[in-house]
Amino acid sequence: MNDAAQHRENLGLWLGFLGVVIFGLTLPMTRLATGTVDAPQMSPWFVTWARAALAGVLSGIYLLAVRAPWPTAAQRGPLFLSLAGNVIGYPLLLGWALRHVTASHAAVITSLMPLATAAAAAWLMHQRARLGFWVFAALGSALVAVYSLLRAAQLGHGFGLTWADTLLVGAVVAGSLGYVAGAKVTASLGAEKVISWVCVMALPFTLPGAWLTWPEHAMATTSWLALVYVGVFSMWAGFFAWFRGLSLGGPLRVSQLQLLQPFITMLASVPLLGESLDAMTLSFALLVVATVFMGRRMANAPTSN
């Protein structure tokens, strides 16, 4: 490999890592914005609408600057599906869940996102996956279910799935379906333009939604700063770094960095939220990430004819 190619690959890895760090901070920042049941801040509805509206305004400026053509009729359908999953479904369900559970807890559940996205692609885009992939997908799902049951029992909620975990699973499903829908038009539009068009197309919903759900009382400065973060970085700029990293460094190598995301969330939650890392949460995170790693290897492995 010549120096230019090596530099390109290294830059791709660093940009990919930057994207993973940005996304890893999304959960603790969302919890800062919404607060908890005992100390509520912004409504999850307002956080959902406002973060997307902020990203939509920035996206509109970007699309005008690059003179991007309007999406075709065939492209608008997948973009609206991505809008429903990534702009509304995922952040709204996540916001409500994070009022009831810690960001570290949520990181374990949402670490299934890569496997859920691959499963959604296999289903919606008729992509074949080896039996081994489905085995590891089932194993990862079982680990998450066991973690949720044990955590509920530990907290005195009984031996059953909590409502917050149901919301987190719903967020994973919504996010993965939105990603697959966006992937259908990525080749024709370009990755950065896909997320930008999704945010712009959402403005007729997000701007009035943010106005109608605007907080009636004064909010903490940290909540406003957290909202700006999830709007500017989690919803928009993070995708630019991530997709550019995949392009420069290669999807096979750079995508593996996503396995670090739950641990970045957990580490960031200590100084940002005052959370502590317990052995059970860390152990289950390691186990789930291991199943994601093996499942992705099986999904990417060639099948024999």
Short mmCIF file of all heavy atoms in Angstrom, two decimals, residues 32-101:
data_model
loop_
_atom_site.label_atom_id
_atom_site.label_comp_id
_atom_site.label_asym_id
_atom_site.label_seq_id
_atom_site.Cartn_x
_atom_site.Cartn_y
_atom_site.Cartn_z
N LEU A 32 -29.75 14.00 29.51
CA LEU A 32 -29.58 15.34 30.06
C LEU A 32 -30.69 16.28 29.59
O LEU A 32 -31.16 17.13 30.35
CB LEU A 32 -28.22 15.91 29.65
CG LEU A 32 -26.99 15.56 30.49
CD1 LEU A 32 -25.74 16.16 29.86
CD2 LEU A 32 -27.16 16.04 31.93
N ALA A 33 -31.10 16.11 28.34
CA ALA A 33 -32.13 16.99 27.79
C ALA A 33 -33.51 16.69 28.37
O ALA A 33 -34.28 17.60 28.69
CB ALA A 33 -32.17 16.86 26.26
N THR A 34 -33.84 15.40 28.51
CA THR A 34 -35.18 15.04 28.98
C THR A 34 -35.28 14.98 30.49
O THR A 34 -36.38 15.12 31.04
CB THR A 34 -35.59 13.67 28.42
OG1 THR A 34 -34.68 12.66 28.89
CG2 THR A 34 -35.60 13.67 26.91
N GLY A 35 -34.15 14.78 31.17
CA GLY A 35 -34.20 14.60 32.60
C GLY A 35 -34.73 13.23 32.96
O GLY A 35 -34.83 12.33 32.12
N THR A 36 -35.09 13.06 34.23
CA THR A 36 -35.60 11.79 34.72
C THR A 36 -37.03 11.97 35.21
O THR A 36 -37.57 13.08 35.22
CB THR A 36 -34.73 11.27 35.87
OG1 THR A 36 -34.83 12.18 36.99
CG2 THR A 36 -33.26 11.16 35.45
N VAL A 37 -37.64 10.86 35.63
CA VAL A 37 -39.00 10.94 36.18
C VAL A 37 -39.02 11.81 37.43
O VAL A 37 -39.94 12.60 37.64
CB VAL A 37 -39.53 9.52 36.49
CG1 VAL A 37 -40.86 9.59 37.23
CG2 VAL A 37 -39.69 8.72 35.21
N ASP A 38 -38.00 11.68 38.23
CA ASP A 38 -37.93 12.46 39.48
C ASP A 38 -37.53 13.91 39.25
O ASP A 38 -37.89 14.79 40.04
CB ASP A 38 -36.95 11.80 40.45
CG ASP A 38 -37.39 10.41 40.88
OD1 ASP A 38 -38.62 10.20 40.97
OD2 ASP A 38 -36.52 9.55 41.09
N ALA A 39 -36.75 14.15 38.20
CA ALA A 39 -36.29 15.52 37.90
C ALA A 39 -36.43 15.77 36.40
O ALA A 39 -35.44 15.84 35.66
CB ALA A 39 -34.85 15.71 38.34
N PRO A 40 -37.68 15.90 35.91
CA PRO A 40 -37.90 16.06 34.46
C PRO A 40 -37.41 17.40 33.95
O PRO A 40 -37.45 18.41 34.66
CB PRO A 40 -39.42 15.93 34.33
CG PRO A 40 -39.95 16.35 35.67
CD PRO A 40 -38.94 15.90 36.67
N GLN A 41 -36.96 17.39 32.72
CA GLN A 41 -36.57 18.62 32.04
C GLN A 41 -37.47 18.79 30.81
O GLN A 41 -38.66 18.97 30.95
CB GLN A 41 -35.09 18.57 31.66
CG GLN A 41 -34.15 18.72 32.85
CD GLN A 41 -34.20 20.10 33.49
OE1 GLN A 41 -34.22 21.12 32.80
NE2 GLN A 41 -34.24 20.14 34.82
N MET A 42 -36.91 18.69 29.63
CA MET A 42 -37.69 18.87 28.41
C MET A 42 -38.52 17.62 28.10
O MET A 42 -38.09 16.49 28.35
CB MET A 42 -36.76 19.16 27.23
CG MET A 42 -35.95 20.42 27.39
SD MET A 42 -34.72 20.61 26.08
CE MET A 42 -33.99 22.18 26.53
N SER A 43 -39.69 17.85 27.54
CA SER A 43 -40.52 16.73 27.11
C SER A 43 -39.81 15.95 26.00
O SER A 43 -39.21 16.55 25.10
CB SER A 43 -41.86 17.24 26.58
OG SER A 43 -42.50 16.27 25.79
N PRO A 44 -39.85 14.61 26.02
CA PRO A 44 -39.29 13.85 24.90
C PRO A 44 -39.89 14.23 23.55
O PRO A 44 -39.21 14.14 22.53
CB PRO A 44 -39.63 12.40 25.28
CG PRO A 44 -39.67 12.41 26.78
CD PRO A 44 -40.28 13.73 27.13
N TRP A 45 -41.16 14.65 23.55
CA TRP A 45 -41.76 15.13 22.30
C TRP A 45 -41.01 16.37 21.80
O TRP A 45 -40.67 16.45 20.61
CB TRP A 45 -43.23 15.48 22.52
CG TRP A 45 -44.15 14.31 22.52
CD1 TRP A 45 -44.76 13.73 23.60
CD2 TRP A 45 -44.56 13.54 21.38
NE1 TRP A 45 -45.52 12.67 23.21
CE2 TRP A 45 -45.42 12.52 21.86
CE3 TRP A 45 -44.29 13.61 20.02
CZ2 TRP A 45 -46.03 11.59 21.02
CZ3 TRP A 45 -44.88 12.68 19.17
CH2 TRP A 45 -45.73 11.68 19.66
N PHE A 46 -40.76 17.32 22.71
CA PHE A 46 -40.06 18.54 22.29
C PHE A 46 -38.64 18.23 21.83
O PHE A 46 -38.17 18.77 20.82
CB PHE A 46 -40.01 19.55 23.44
CG PHE A 46 -39.17 20.75 23.14
CD1 PHE A 46 -39.58 21.68 22.19
CD2 PHE A 46 -37.95 20.96 23.78
CE1 PHE A 46 -38.79 22.79 21.89
CE2 PHE A 46 -37.16 22.06 23.48
CZ PHE A 46 -37.59 22.98 22.53
N VAL A 47 -37.94 17.37 22.56
CA VAL A 47 -36.57 17.01 22.17
C VAL A 47 -36.57 16.38 20.78
O VAL A 47 -35.70 16.68 19.94
CB VAL A 47 -35.95 16.06 23.21
CG1 VAL A 47 -34.59 15.54 22.72
CG2 VAL A 47 -35.78 16.77 24.55
N THR A 48 -37.54 15.51 20.51
CA THR A 48 -37.63 14.85 19.20
C THR A 48 -37.83 15.87 18.09
O THR A 48 -37.14 15.87 17.07
CB THR A 48 -38.78 13.84 19.19
OG1 THR A 48 -38.52 12.82 20.17
CG2 THR A 48 -38.94 13.19 17.82
N TRP A 49 -38.82 16.76 18.27
CA TRP A 49 -39.12 17.74 17.22
C TRP A 49 -38.00 18.77 17.08
O TRP A 49 -37.60 19.11 15.96
CB TRP A 49 -40.43 18.47 17.53
CG TRP A 49 -41.65 17.63 17.62
CD1 TRP A 49 -42.56 17.62 18.64
CD2 TRP A 49 -42.14 16.69 16.65
NE1 TRP A 49 -43.57 16.72 18.38
CE2 TRP A 49 -43.34 16.15 17.16
CE3 TRP A 49 -41.68 16.26 15.41
CZ2 TRP A 49 -44.09 15.19 16.48
CZ3 TRP A 49 -42.42 15.30 14.72
CH2 TRP A 49 -43.60 14.77 15.26
N ALA A 50 -37.50 19.27 18.20
CA ALA A 50 -36.53 20.37 18.15
C ALA A 50 -35.19 19.91 17.58
O ALA A 50 -34.56 20.64 16.81
CB ALA A 50 -36.33 20.95 19.56
N ARG A 51 -34.72 18.73 17.95
CA ARG A 51 -33.43 18.28 17.43
C ARG A 51 -33.50 18.06 15.92
O ARG A 51 -32.58 18.40 15.20
CB ARG A 51 -32.97 17.02 18.15
CG ARG A 51 -33.68 15.75 17.79
CD ARG A 51 -33.10 14.54 18.51
NE ARG A 51 -32.79 13.47 17.56
CZ ARG A 51 -31.99 12.46 17.80
NH1 ARG A 51 -31.39 12.36 18.96
NH2 ARG A 51 -31.75 11.53 16.89
N ALA A 52 -34.63 17.53 15.46
CA ALA A 52 -34.79 17.31 14.02
C ALA A 52 -34.97 18.63 13.27
O ALA A 52 -34.49 18.78 12.14
CB ALA A 52 -35.97 16.39 13.76
N ALA A 53 -35.66 19.59 13.90
CA ALA A 53 -35.83 20.89 13.26
C ALA A 53 -34.48 21.60 13.10
O ALA A 53 -34.19 22.20 12.06
CB ALA A 53 -36.80 21.75 14.06
N LEU A 54 -33.66 21.54 14.14
CA LEU A 54 -32.34 22.15 14.08
C LEU A 54 -31.49 21.49 12.99
O LEU A 54 -30.85 22.18 12.18
CB LEU A 54 -31.65 22.01 15.44
CG LEU A 54 -30.26 22.60 15.60
CD1 LEU A 54 -30.25 24.08 15.22
CD2 LEU A 54 -29.77 22.41 17.03
N ALA A 55 -31.52 20.16 12.94
CA ALA A 55 -30.79 19.45 11.90
C ALA A 55 -31.36 19.76 10.52
O ALA A 55 -30.61 19.84 9.53
CB ALA A 55 -30.84 17.95 12.16
N GLY A 56 -32.68 19.96 10.43
CA GLY A 56 -33.31 20.27 9.15
C GLY A 56 -32.88 21.61 8.60
O GLY A 56 -32.65 21.76 7.40
N VAL A 57 -32.76 22.61 9.48
CA VAL A 57 -32.30 23.94 9.03
C VAL A 57 -30.87 23.86 8.51
O VAL A 57 -30.54 24.40 7.44
CB VAL A 57 -32.42 24.95 10.18
CG1 VAL A 57 -31.75 26.27 9.80
CG2 VAL A 57 -33.88 25.18 10.54
N LEU A 58 -30.00 23.17 9.25
CA LEU A 58 -28.61 23.00 8.81
C LEU A 58 -28.54 22.21 7.51
O LEU A 58 -27.73 22.52 6.62
CB LEU A 58 -27.81 22.30 9.90
CG LEU A 58 -27.62 23.06 11.21
CD1 LEU A 58 -26.97 22.17 12.26
CD2 LEU A 58 -26.78 24.32 10.98
N SER A 59 -29.39 21.21 7.39
CA SER A 59 -29.42 20.40 6.17
C SER A 59 -29.85 21.23 4.97
O SER A 59 -29.30 21.08 3.87
CB SER A 59 -30.38 19.22 6.35
OG SER A 59 -29.93 18.34 7.36
N GLY A 60 -30.83 22.10 5.17
CA GLY A 60 -31.29 22.95 4.07
C GLY A 60 -30.17 23.86 3.58
O GLY A 60 -30.00 24.05 2.36
N ILE A 61 -29.40 24.42 4.51
CA ILE A 61 -28.27 25.27 4.13
C ILE A 61 -27.25 24.47 3.34
O ILE A 61 -26.73 24.93 2.31
CB ILE A 61 -27.64 25.89 5.39
CG1 ILE A 61 -28.64 26.83 6.08
CG2 ILE A 61 -26.35 26.64 5.03
CD1 ILE A 61 -28.17 27.32 7.43
N TYR A 62 -26.97 23.26 3.80
CA TYR A 62 -25.99 22.40 3.12
C TYR A 62 -26.46 22.04 1.71
O TYR A 62 -25.69 22.13 0.74
CB TYR A 62 -25.76 21.13 3.94
CG TYR A 62 -25.08 20.03 3.17
CD1 TYR A 62 -23.73 20.10 2.86
CD2 TYR A 62 -25.79 18.91 2.74
CE1 TYR A 62 -23.10 19.08 2.14
CE2 TYR A 62 -25.19 17.89 2.04
CZ TYR A 62 -23.85 17.98 1.73
OH TYR A 62 -23.24 16.98 1.02
N LEU A 63 -27.72 21.64 1.58
CA LEU A 63 -28.23 21.23 0.27
C LEU A 63 -28.25 22.39 -0.72
O LEU A 63 -27.99 22.20 -1.92
CB LEU A 63 -29.63 20.63 0.42
CG LEU A 63 -29.70 19.29 1.17
CD1 LEU A 63 -31.15 18.91 1.47
CD2 LEU A 63 -29.02 18.19 0.37
N LEU A 64 -28.55 23.58 -0.23
CA LEU A 64 -28.49 24.76 -1.10
C LEU A 64 -27.06 25.06 -1.51
O LEU A 64 -26.79 25.43 -2.66
CB LEU A 64 -29.10 25.97 -0.38
CG LEU A 64 -30.62 25.99 -0.23
CD1 LEU A 64 -31.05 27.16 0.66
CD2 LEU A 64 -31.30 26.09 -1.60
N ALA A 65 -26.12 24.90 -0.58
CA ALA A 65 -24.71 25.19 -0.87
C ALA A 65 -24.15 24.27 -1.93
O ALA A 65 -23.35 24.68 -2.77
CB ALA A 65 -23.89 25.11 0.41
N VAL A 66 -24.54 23.00 -1.90
CA VAL A 66 -24.02 22.03 -2.88
C VAL A 66 -24.92 21.91 -4.10
O VAL A 66 -24.65 21.11 -5.00
CB VAL A 66 -23.82 20.65 -2.23
CG1 VAL A 66 -22.82 20.73 -1.08
CG2 VAL A 66 -25.14 20.05 -1.75
N ARG A 67 -26.01 22.69 -4.10
CA ARG A 67 -26.97 22.69 -5.22
C ARG A 67 -27.48 21.29 -5.52
O ARG A 67 -27.49 20.83 -6.66
CB ARG A 67 -26.32 23.31 -6.47
CG ARG A 67 -25.90 24.76 -6.28
CD ARG A 67 -25.30 25.34 -7.52
NE ARG A 67 -24.91 26.73 -7.34
CZ ARG A 67 -24.35 27.49 -8.27
NH1 ARG A 67 -24.11 26.97 -9.48
NH2 ARG A 67 -24.02 28.74 -8.02
N ALA A 68 -27.91 20.63 -4.48
CA ALA A 68 -28.40 19.26 -4.62
C ALA A 68 -29.74 19.25 -5.35
O ALA A 68 -30.63 20.06 -5.03
CB ALA A 68 -28.55 18.61 -3.25
N PRO A 69 -29.93 18.36 -6.31
CA PRO A 69 -31.23 18.27 -7.00
C PRO A 69 -32.29 17.68 -6.08
O PRO A 69 -31.98 16.96 -5.13
CB PRO A 69 -30.93 17.32 -8.17
CG PRO A 69 -29.78 16.50 -7.71
CD PRO A 69 -28.95 17.40 -6.85
N TRP A 70 -33.55 17.99 -6.38
CA TRP A 70 -34.65 17.45 -5.58
C TRP A 70 -34.72 15.95 -5.76
O TRP A 70 -34.45 15.41 -6.83
CB TRP A 70 -35.97 18.07 -6.04
CG TRP A 70 -36.15 19.49 -5.60
CD1 TRP A 70 -35.80 20.60 -6.29
CD2 TRP A 70 -36.70 19.95 -4.36
NE1 TRP A 70 -36.09 21.74 -5.58
CE2 TRP A 70 -36.66 21.36 -4.39
CE3 TRP A 70 -37.24 19.32 -3.25
CZ2 TRP A 70 -37.13 22.14 -3.33
CZ3 TRP A 70 -37.71 20.08 -2.20
CH2 TRP A 70 -37.65 21.48 -2.24
N PRO A 71 -35.06 15.21 -4.70
CA PRO A 71 -35.23 13.76 -4.84
C PRO A 71 -36.35 13.44 -5.83
O PRO A 71 -37.34 14.17 -5.92
CB PRO A 71 -35.61 13.31 -3.42
CG PRO A 71 -35.16 14.40 -2.52
CD PRO A 71 -35.27 15.66 -3.31
N THR A 72 -36.18 12.36 -6.55
CA THR A 72 -37.21 11.93 -7.50
C THR A 72 -38.38 11.30 -6.73
O THR A 72 -38.28 11.02 -5.53
CB THR A 72 -36.64 10.92 -8.49
OG1 THR A 72 -36.26 9.73 -7.76
CG2 THR A 72 -35.41 11.48 -9.21
N ALA A 73 -39.47 11.06 -7.46
CA ALA A 73 -40.63 10.44 -6.83
C ALA A 73 -40.28 9.07 -6.26
O ALA A 73 -40.75 8.68 -5.18
CB ALA A 73 -41.76 10.32 -7.85
N ALA A 74 -39.44 8.33 -6.97
CA ALA A 74 -39.04 6.99 -6.50
C ALA A 74 -38.19 7.07 -5.24
O ALA A 74 -38.21 6.15 -4.41
CB ALA A 74 -38.30 6.25 -7.60
N GLN A 75 -37.43 8.15 -5.09
CA GLN A 75 -36.56 8.29 -3.93
C GLN A 75 -37.30 8.79 -2.70
O GLN A 75 -36.89 8.53 -1.56
CB GLN A 75 -35.41 9.25 -4.25
CG GLN A 75 -34.43 8.72 -5.29
CD GLN A 75 -33.48 9.79 -5.79
OE1 GLN A 75 -33.80 10.99 -5.76
NE2 GLN A 75 -32.32 9.38 -6.28
N ARG A 76 -38.40 9.50 -2.92
CA ARG A 76 -39.09 10.12 -1.79
C ARG A 76 -39.75 9.10 -0.86
O ARG A 76 -39.84 9.31 0.35
CB ARG A 76 -40.12 11.14 -2.28
CG ARG A 76 -39.49 12.42 -2.81
CD ARG A 76 -40.51 13.53 -2.94
NE ARG A 76 -41.45 13.31 -4.03
CZ ARG A 76 -41.26 13.70 -5.29
NH1 ARG A 76 -40.14 14.34 -5.61
NH2 ARG A 76 -42.16 13.47 -6.21
N GLY A 77 -40.20 7.97 -1.41
CA GLY A 77 -40.82 6.94 -0.57
C GLY A 77 -39.88 6.41 0.49
O GLY A 77 -40.19 6.47 1.70
N PRO A 78 -38.69 5.91 0.11
CA PRO A 78 -37.73 5.46 1.13
C PRO A 78 -37.30 6.58 2.08
O PRO A 78 -37.07 6.33 3.27
CB PRO A 78 -36.55 4.97 0.29
CG PRO A 78 -37.15 4.56 -1.02
CD PRO A 78 -38.25 5.54 -1.25
N LEU A 79 -37.19 7.81 1.57
CA LEU A 79 -36.80 8.92 2.44
C LEU A 79 -37.86 9.17 3.52
O LEU A 79 -37.52 9.45 4.67
CB LEU A 79 -36.58 10.18 1.62
CG LEU A 79 -35.32 10.20 0.73
CD1 LEU A 79 -35.30 11.46 -0.14
CD2 LEU A 79 -34.05 10.12 1.58
N PHE A 80 -39.13 9.06 3.16
CA PHE A 80 -40.19 9.24 4.16
C PHE A 80 -40.18 8.12 5.19
O PHE A 80 -40.45 8.34 6.37
CB PHE A 80 -41.55 9.32 3.47
CG PHE A 80 -41.93 10.71 3.06
CD1 PHE A 80 -42.09 11.04 1.72
CD2 PHE A 80 -42.14 11.71 4.00
CE1 PHE A 80 -42.43 12.33 1.32
CE2 PHE A 80 -42.49 13.00 3.63
CZ PHE A 80 -42.63 13.31 2.29
N LEU A 81 -39.86 6.89 4.74
CA LEU A 81 -39.75 5.79 5.69
C LEU A 81 -38.58 6.01 6.65
O LEU A 81 -38.68 5.73 7.85
CB LEU A 81 -39.58 4.47 4.94
CG LEU A 81 -40.80 3.95 4.18
CD1 LEU A 81 -40.46 2.69 3.41
CD2 LEU A 81 -41.95 3.69 5.15
N SER A 82 -37.47 6.51 6.11
CA SER A 82 -36.33 6.84 6.95
C SER A 82 -36.70 7.95 7.93
O SER A 82 -36.28 7.94 9.10
CB SER A 82 -35.14 7.26 6.08
OG SER A 82 -34.01 7.54 6.87
N LEU A 83 -37.46 8.92 7.47
CA LEU A 83 -37.94 10.01 8.32
C LEU A 83 -38.74 9.46 9.49
O LEU A 83 -38.52 9.83 10.66
CB LEU A 83 -38.79 10.96 7.47
CG LEU A 83 -39.35 12.25 8.07
CD1 LEU A 83 -39.76 13.19 6.93
CD2 LEU A 83 -40.57 12.01 8.95
N ALA A 84 -39.66 8.53 9.19
CA ALA A 84 -40.50 7.98 10.25
C ALA A 84 -39.68 7.22 11.29
O ALA A 84 -39.93 7.30 12.49
CB ALA A 84 -41.55 7.06 9.63
N GLY A 85 -38.66 6.47 10.80
CA GLY A 85 -37.89 5.66 11.72
C GLY A 85 -36.80 6.41 12.46
O GLY A 85 -36.65 6.26 13.69
N ASN A 86 -36.02 7.23 11.72
CA ASN A 86 -34.84 7.87 12.30
C ASN A 86 -35.09 9.25 12.88
O ASN A 86 -34.39 9.66 13.81
CB ASN A 86 -33.73 7.96 11.26
CG ASN A 86 -33.27 6.60 10.78
OD1 ASN A 86 -33.13 6.37 9.59
ND2 ASN A 86 -33.06 5.67 11.68
N VAL A 87 -36.05 9.97 12.33
CA VAL A 87 -36.31 11.33 12.81
C VAL A 87 -37.34 11.35 13.93
O VAL A 87 -37.24 12.14 14.87
CB VAL A 87 -36.77 12.23 11.64
CG1 VAL A 87 -37.16 13.62 12.14
CG2 VAL A 87 -35.68 12.34 10.60
N ILE A 88 -38.34 10.45 13.85
CA ILE A 88 -39.42 10.47 14.84
C ILE A 88 -39.35 9.26 15.77
O ILE A 88 -39.24 9.39 16.98
CB ILE A 88 -40.79 10.53 14.13
CG1 ILE A 88 -40.89 11.80 13.28
CG2 ILE A 88 -41.92 10.50 15.17
CD1 ILE A 88 -42.16 11.90 12.45
N GLY A 89 -39.43 8.05 15.20
CA GLY A 89 -39.54 6.84 16.01
C GLY A 89 -38.40 6.63 16.98
O GLY A 89 -38.61 6.49 18.20
N TYR A 90 -37.17 6.58 16.47
CA TYR A 90 -36.02 6.28 17.32
C TYR A 90 -35.81 7.32 18.42
O TYR A 90 -35.74 6.96 19.60
CB TYR A 90 -34.76 6.15 16.46
CG TYR A 90 -33.51 5.91 17.26
CD1 TYR A 90 -33.22 4.65 17.77
CD2 TYR A 90 -32.61 6.94 17.53
CE1 TYR A 90 -32.06 4.42 18.52
CE2 TYR A 90 -31.47 6.72 18.29
CZ TYR A 90 -31.20 5.46 18.77
OH TYR A 90 -30.07 5.24 19.52
N PRO A 91 -35.70 8.62 18.10
CA PRO A 91 -35.43 9.58 19.19
C PRO A 91 -36.58 9.71 20.18
O PRO A 91 -36.35 9.93 21.38
CB PRO A 91 -35.17 10.90 18.45
CG PRO A 91 -35.79 10.73 17.11
CD PRO A 91 -35.70 9.28 16.78
N LEU A 92 -37.82 9.56 19.72
CA LEU A 92 -38.96 9.72 20.63
C LEU A 92 -39.01 8.56 21.63
O LEU A 92 -39.14 8.78 22.85
CB LEU A 92 -40.26 9.78 19.84
CG LEU A 92 -41.53 9.97 20.67
CD1 LEU A 92 -41.48 11.28 21.45
CD2 LEU A 92 -42.77 9.94 19.77
N LEU A 93 -38.91 7.33 21.14
CA LEU A 93 -38.93 6.17 22.03
C LEU A 93 -37.72 6.17 22.96
O LEU A 93 -37.82 5.83 24.14
CB LEU A 93 -38.98 4.89 21.20
CG LEU A 93 -40.26 4.69 20.37
CD1 LEU A 93 -40.10 3.49 19.43
CD2 LEU A 93 -41.46 4.49 21.28
N LEU A 94 -36.57 6.58 22.41
CA LEU A 94 -35.36 6.66 23.23
C LEU A 94 -35.52 7.69 24.33
O LEU A 94 -35.14 7.47 25.49
CB LEU A 94 -34.17 7.01 22.34
CG LEU A 94 -32.79 7.02 23.00
CD1 LEU A 94 -32.38 5.61 23.38
CD2 LEU A 94 -31.76 7.64 22.06
N GLY A 95 -36.07 8.85 23.99
CA GLY A 95 -36.25 9.92 24.96
C GLY A 95 -37.14 9.51 26.12
O GLY A 95 -36.83 9.79 27.28
N TRP A 96 -38.25 8.84 25.82
CA TRP A 96 -39.15 8.40 26.89
C TRP A 96 -38.49 7.33 27.75
O TRP A 96 -38.62 7.33 28.98
CB TRP A 96 -40.46 7.86 26.30
CG TRP A 96 -41.41 8.94 25.90
CD1 TRP A 96 -41.81 9.26 24.65
CD2 TRP A 96 -42.09 9.86 26.78
NE1 TRP A 96 -42.69 10.33 24.67
CE2 TRP A 96 -42.87 10.70 25.97
CE3 TRP A 96 -42.10 10.04 28.16
CZ2 TRP A 96 -43.67 11.72 26.50
CZ3 TRP A 96 -42.89 11.06 28.69
CH2 TRP A 96 -43.66 11.88 27.86
N ALA A 97 -37.75 6.41 27.10
CA ALA A 97 -37.10 5.33 27.86
C ALA A 97 -36.04 5.88 28.80
O ALA A 97 -35.91 5.42 29.95
CB ALA A 97 -36.48 4.32 26.90
N LEU A 98 -35.29 6.88 28.34
CA LEU A 98 -34.18 7.40 29.14
C LEU A 98 -34.64 8.23 30.33
O LEU A 98 -33.82 8.62 31.16
CB LEU A 98 -33.24 8.23 28.25
CG LEU A 98 -32.32 7.39 27.37
CD1 LEU A 98 -31.62 8.26 26.34
CD2 LEU A 98 -31.30 6.63 28.21
N ARG A 99 -35.92 8.48 30.43
CA ARG A 99 -36.43 9.09 31.66
C ARG A 99 -36.53 8.06 32.79
O ARG A 99 -36.65 8.43 33.95
CB ARG A 99 -37.81 9.70 31.41
CG ARG A 99 -37.75 11.12 30.86
CD ARG A 99 -39.06 11.83 31.04
NE ARG A 99 -38.91 13.26 30.84
CZ ARG A 99 -39.90 14.14 30.96
NH1 ARG A 99 -41.10 13.71 31.29
NH2 ARG A 99 -39.68 15.41 30.75
N HIS A 100 -36.49 6.78 32.41
CA HIS A 100 -36.71 5.72 33.39
C HIS A 100 -35.50 4.84 33.64
O HIS A 100 -35.44 4.17 34.68
CB HIS A 100 -37.88 4.83 32.93
CG HIS A 100 -39.17 5.57 32.77
ND1 HIS A 100 -40.07 5.75 33.80
CD2 HIS A 100 -39.71 6.20 31.69
CE1 HIS A 100 -41.11 6.45 33.36
NE2 HIS A 100 -40.91 6.73 32.10
N VAL A 101 -34.56 4.79 32.69
CA VAL A 101 -33.37 3.94 32.87
C VAL A 101 -32.12 4.77 32.62
O VAL A 101 -32.17 5.84 32.00
CB VAL A 101 -33.39 2.72 31.91
CG1 VAL A 101 -34.56 1.82 32.21
CG2 VAL A 101 -33.40 3.17 30.45
#
